[in-house]
């Protein structure tokens, strides 16, 4: 659940070089029509690339029920996009008698088990990723989930789909701070202002906008509220390179 799963900061590992395709010339237009494509597209994971929010919410309900703690769907929605260690602290405060780090480990294990069975891609995601890959536009996963979960999702995509992963356990300040998106742009060697970021949660959108990236909000478990400079669509189903090029050119698209 965009459940921004950050924990205790750890050193940022080297970029994971997955996509080695030649990069497009950003001045040449090409696959994006008459407009240039961005230098990179940075994707949030939970709720944006994959429909894992129900996995996280179910895990929270299972954990709280096991300890006799009342936990509502509204409680779960308030954690969407938050750092995982912060969310674990909320669960502990609600009555779960475990240390936050142990809560994090327990929840990750439950979600990882579900991902082992199936990676639930959101509608339109795989075709868009394929188009971007064919056009030589590097793509990154920028998530507050931990690296092991992000790698499980990346492994479910065709080889070479993602150039790098920035995970919640690799940054000091998680979303809504801009650090995750700034880190992704730095690893790719591009200016955040030359990137398009795709997000679903209010916390993630705040992070992406603060980084300077052109930001597209896509509805998942929460509505995407109108904000200055924010583009909005209800789904990536049918989204293509033309939309990405329009966003890269600075157009604010509202198809909500």
């Amino acid at each position: 659940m965009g459940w921004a799963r950050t924990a205790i900061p750890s050193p940022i590992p080297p970029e994971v070089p997955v996509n080695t395709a030649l990069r497009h010339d950003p001045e040449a237009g090409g696959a994006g029509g008459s407009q240039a494509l961005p230098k990179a597209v940075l994707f949030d994971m939970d709720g944006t690339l994959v429909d894992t929010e129900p996995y996280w919410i179910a895990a929270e309900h299972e954990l709280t029920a096991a300890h006799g703690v009342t936990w509502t769907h509204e409680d779960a929605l308030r954690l969407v996009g938050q750092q995982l260690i912060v969310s674990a602290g909320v669960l502990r405060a609600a009555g779960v008698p475990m240390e936050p780090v142990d809560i994090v480990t327990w929840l990750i294990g439950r979600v990882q088990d579900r991902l082992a069975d199936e990676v639930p891609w959101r509608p339109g995601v795989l075709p868009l990723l394929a188009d971007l890959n064919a056009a030589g536009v590097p793509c990154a996963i920028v998530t507050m989930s931990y690296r092991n979960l992000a790698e499980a999702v990346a492994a479910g995509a065709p080889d070479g789909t993602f150039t790098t992963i920035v995970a919640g356990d690799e940054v000091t300040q998680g979303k809504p701070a801009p650090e995750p998106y700034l880190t992704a742009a730095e690893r790719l060697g591009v200016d955040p202002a030359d990137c398009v970021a795709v997000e679903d949660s209010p916390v993630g959108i705040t992070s992406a906008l603060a980084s300077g990236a052109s930001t597209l909000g896509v509805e998942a478990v929460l509505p995407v509220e109108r904000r200055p400079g924010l583009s909005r669509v209800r789904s990536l189903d049918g989204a293509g390179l033309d939309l990405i090029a329009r966003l890269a050119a600075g157009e604010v698209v509202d198809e909500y």
Side-chain angles (χ1 to χ4, degrees):
M1 65 169 131
W3 226 105
R5 352 251 167 212
T6 355
I8 299 157
S10 61
I12 297 176
E15 173 182 331
V16 179
V18 186
N19 184 348
T20 56
L22 293 175
R23 306 301 182 219
H24 70 290
D25 180 351
E27 305 301 326
S34 60
Q35 295 174 299
L37 291 167
K39 290 185 178 178
V41 180
L42 316 175
F43 289 92
D44 169 59
M45 188 176 80
D46 297 285
T48 300
L49 288 174
V50 288
D51 191 19
T52 46
E53 297 297 356
Y55 292 2
W56 291 100
I57 292 172
E60 292 168 33
H61 281 290
E62 182 182 351
L63 179 62
T64 51
H67 294 285
V69 174
T70 299
W71 189 253
T72 68
H73 186 64
E74 288 68 31
D75 291 328
L77 292 181
R78 281 193 286 272
L79 297 186
V80 171
Q82 294 296 330
Q83 300 178 49
L84 183 52
I85 196 67
V86 171
S87 298
V90 173
L91 286 162
R92 177 177 168 82
V96 175
M98 297 166 60
E99 292 299 320
V101 170
D102 295 327
I103 292 174
V104 168
T105 300
W106 193 94
L107 292 170
I108 286 175
R110 281 293 188 268
V111 174
Q112 196 165 19
D113 288 344
R114 298 287 297 274
L115 285 174
D117 295 331
E118 178 187 11
V119 176
W121 296 101
R122 298 274 295 167
V125 163
L126 289 177
L128 177 58
L129 289 170
D131 287 346
L132 289 166
N133 193 249
V137 179
C139 295
I141 293 177
V142 184
T143 179
M144 292 295 90
S145 285
Y146 283 14
R147 172 163 284 271
N148 56 352
L149 292 181
E151 288 178 344
V153 169
D159 289 345
T161 296
F162 297 105
T163 302
T164 192
I165 294 169
V166 177
D169 49 344
E170 299 172 1
V171 294
T172 301
Q173 293 184 300
K175 302 173 186 178
E179 182 184 341
Y181 282 100
L182 295 175
T183 300
E186 181 181 9
R187 290 187 187 178
L188 295 172
V190 299
D191 189 322
D194 294 327
C195 298
V196 168
V198 187
E199 268 283 358
D200 72 290
S201 73
V203 169
I205 288 169
T206 297
S207 174
L209 287 171
S211 76
S214 297
T215 303
L216 177 64
V218 184
E219 183 176 303
V221 299
L222 293 173
V224 179
E225 302 294 338
R226 189 187 303 273
R227 300 197 203 182
L230 175 65
S231 295
R232 303 187 301 168
V233 294
R234 290 197 178 276
S235 172
L236 290 177
D237 196 14
L241 295 184
D242 179 66
L243 172 62
I244 299 298
R246 290 165 65 193
L247 300 175
E251 183 178 347
V252 175
V253 177
D254 200 333
E255 299 177 355
Y256 202 68

